[in-house]
Amino acid sequence: MTFKHITQQMMVLKYHLRAWVLILPCALLLPSCEKDLEPYSHADSYLNFRFFNAGGDELLNEDIAKDKSVIDVPLLYNFKTHGDVQSDTIWIQAKTVGFVTDNDREYALEQIQVAGADNAVAGTDYVAFDSPEARRIQVVKAGESVFRVPIVMLRSANLKTKNVILKVRFKENENFKNGFTMMQTRVVSFTDKLSKPTTWDPCALNTYFGNYGDVKFQLMIDWSGLSWSDEWIQEMYDTDKAYFDYLAKVFAIRLAEENAKRQTAGQDVYREEDGTAVVFGRALPGM
């Protein structure tokens, strides 16, 4: 056999080997590709609450599994920082899993009792989930997969002395089944008594108004006419810290004027329950 014939045969063999290299992986992957392309046909729909981290990013089921404490972090509300309203609604983010429909779908909720807590009373502290009023708004609208769950709170006498807890859970009905176990409950805590805003320390309000006190906080609400809710404090801290400086000066002047009137009338200056005189100004380190 000549050198030319040997070279030709080697070229033919090389061609066939290259063809097999290309064909074999495709043949091996073909069954799995066909399986991946199976259309979604599950008829059931599911509900999950949504959870977010401090940066506003949504947490997935596997994220929550790593830190289950986020499940019981309460959403907070205080009637004291929302004027004279006798009822209000807190909205909880949620979503569906499954096909989106072209018709409205009602969902159901239920309360879970929390051991050792002052649990909210249905019909007294909040609108009962099975009432006609609640059922009218417990609806996923046609075409929606992301929605908000309304919790209607009532300004009851209970809230004057308590922070009540409402742990809410999705309840299966004819439209929806329960989704991921760790995404089925949310906790709401609400009250109608003065308490230190959760944003007071993170937003460093001590540096503007001094140490927190219930009497001081009530004066801030009364004299400013502002809500002083956590949401409002955070918004002002992010967008206009100088306004805190301005308010601190206004409060200091008003306090001096009001204390002078009180003393003229034979009354004591404004004091906290422990006897500490109310003062507006930068808190000293360690105080």
Side-chain angles (χ1 to χ4, degrees):
M1 182 179 293
T2 66
F3 176 78
K4 180 178 180 180
H5 287 117
I6 293 174
T7 302
Q8 289 175 340
Q9 289 182 352
M10 289 180 65
M11 291 179 65
V12 171
L13 179 61
K14 182 177 181 181
Y15 170 81
H16 286 298
L17 285 172
R18 182 181 298 174
W20 276 108
V21 168
L22 294 173
I23 294 172
L24 185 59
C26 294
L28 292 173
L29 290 174
L30 186 59
S32 63
C33 291
E34 291 178 350
K35 183 177 181 180
D36 290 342
L37 292 175
E38 290 180 3
Y40 180 82
S41 60
H42 208 297
D44 292 330
S45 293
Y46 304 85
L47 292 176
N48 292 315
F49 283 114
R50 303 174 70 192
F51 295 82
F52 301 86
N53 62 21
D57 299 317
E58 184 170 4
L59 300 177
L60 303 178
N61 190 53
E62 51 266 35
D63 299 322
I64 299 174
K66 296 175 183 176
D67 182 12
K68 296 180 182 179
S69 65
V70 300
I71 298 173
D72 292 321
V73 174
L75 302 169
L76 305 176
Y77 181 92
N78 193 332
F79 276 102
K80 279 291 186 184
T81 60
H82 288 79
D84 296 326
V85 297
Q86 296 305 303
S87 66
D88 208 348
T89 304
I90 194 166
W91 299 88
I92 308 176
Q93 295 284 344
K95 61 183 177 183
T96 68
V97 176
F99 286 115
V100 174
T101 64
D102 57 3
N103 60 283
D104 293 351
R105 292 177 290 176
E106 181 181 324
Y107 59 86
L109 301 169
E110 60 183 347
Q111 180 181 8
I112 304 300
Q113 295 295 311
V114 178
D118 288 318
N119 289 280
V121 179
T124 299
D125 302 321
Y126 72 98
V127 175
F129 298 137
D130 58 357
S131 67
E133 296 86 355
R135 293 185 62 180
R136 278 197 294 269
I137 56 177
Q138 290 169 185
V139 174
V140 177
K141 295 293 186 180
E144 289 186 345
S145 60
V146 174
F147 64 103
R148 298 188 302 165
V149 174
I151 307 296
V152 182
M153 302 164 294
L154 305 175
R155 197 169 196 167
S156 71
N158 290 342
L159 307 184
K160 295 291 184 183
T161 57
K162 298 177 181 177
N163 288 289
V164 300
I165 294 294
L166 175 56
K167 188 170 186 177
V168 57
R169 179 171 65 187
F170 283 122
K171 182 179 179 181
E172 291 192 357
N173 65 1
E174 66 276 10
N175 296 317
F176 296 102
K177 294 183 179 297
N178 292 336
F180 293 119
T181 301
M182 291 179 291
M183 293 181 168
Q184 292 306 293
T185 62
R186 291 304 304 264
V187 178
V188 180
S189 175
F190 53 106
T191 187
D192 189 20
K193 65 186 185 72
L194 285 176
S195 59
K196 184 179 181 180
T198 60
T199 49
W200 186 281
D201 290 336
C203 293
L205 294 195
N206 276 18
T207 63
Y208 303 96
F209 308 108
N211 293 322
Y212 174 83
D214 284 349
V215 174
K216 175 186 289 186
F217 192 42
Q218 185 65 65
L219 293 176
M220 292 168 63
I221 295 171
D222 294 342
W223 291 348
S224 68
L226 300 169
S227 83
W228 294 96
S229 64
D230 285 318
E231 297 80 7
W232 184 85
I233 292 172
Q234 188 65 59
E235 180 182 357
M236 295 308 300
Y237 181 77
D238 293 338
T239 62
D240 192 7
K241 295 185 185 68
Y243 191 47
F244 290 150
D245 270 325
Y246 166 75
L247 287 174
K249 294 173 183 176
V250 170
F251 293 152
I253 294 172
R254 179 72 181 270
L255 179 64
E257 294 173 347
E258 294 297 326
N259 277 340
K261 293 178 183 177
R262 291 169 68 89
Q263 289 177 313
T264 299
Q267 299 175 338
D268 194 6
V269 298
Y270 281 107
R271 295 184 183 276
E272 298 293 345
E273 187 176 348
D274 64 0
T276 303
V278 173
V279 177
F280 285 101
R282 185 181 298 272
L284 297 176
M287 295 185 63

